[in-house]
Amino acid sequence: MLQERLKLLYASQQMDTDTYKRLPSMLAELENKLGVPLQEDNAGAFVSHYIKAIQRVKAGTPIQDDLSLIQMAQKKPTLFQWAIESLHPFDTDNLSLDGEAVYFVSYFEMILGEEPIC
């Protein structure tokens, strides 16, 4: 799994200690859901974006995207739900995570070898 990337991002202070400690189990859970091992070549960019999204959620400033993009992402309800679930543990303010989920759905589709819908 993407241990070297996680170590580098943590060492460069792009994520806090809480996120660093929680991320490996969350990525393992996501691997199980997707049924695909997450490696540097198929999920490196996703993990970097995921960390940034987590930090935005923790700060109370998640991306609030265009409704039409959210509606396109919701056409993949399972992937959309997994995206929301992956961020929900970091949301202490009951924020809308739909805007962040749009991008995760696209990443998940690429990891699965599907054509992204948004």
Side-chain angles (χ1 to χ4, degrees):
M1 193 190 309
L2 304 148
Q3 291 299 342
E4 291 304 314
R5 179 178 289 263
L6 295 178
K7 288 177 187 175
L8 178 63
L9 292 169
Y10 180 64
S12 63
Q13 299 179 344
Q14 294 186 48
M15 72 175 119
D16 60 25
T17 302
D18 172 62
T19 302
Y20 181 69
K21 288 180 180 178
R22 293 167 70 181
L23 213 49
S25 65
M26 298 189 79
L27 291 173
E29 182 180 329
L30 187 56
E31 273 184 332
N32 288 334
K33 287 178 178 180
L34 293 171
V36 175
L38 299 180
Q39 304 293 329
E40 183 63 35
D41 62 339
N42 72 347
F46 162 70
V47 168
S48 293
H49 188 143
Y50 186 34
I51 290 165
K52 291 295 187 186
I54 289 168
Q55 297 309 122
R56 284 191 297 269
V57 168
K58 284 182 162 187
T61 59
I63 290 173
Q64 299 302 311
D65 221 325
D66 183 271
L67 182 58
S68 63
L69 288 176
I70 293 169
Q71 289 171 336
M72 283 193 297
Q74 289 173 330
K75 290 179 182 177
K76 296 283 188 147
T78 301
L79 297 182
F80 190 79
Q81 185 60 38
W82 289 347
I84 297 290
E85 289 172 2
S86 74
L87 290 168
H88 192 12
F90 301 99
D91 177 19
T92 59
D93 298 322
N94 198 27
L95 302 166
S96 171
L97 303 174
D98 292 359
E100 296 285 359
V102 167
Y103 298 96
F104 286 21
V105 169
S106 293
Y107 278 117
F108 295 166
E109 289 171 319
M110 288 186 281
I111 291 168
L112 292 169
E114 298 176 8
E115 186 70 30
I117 60 170
C118 28

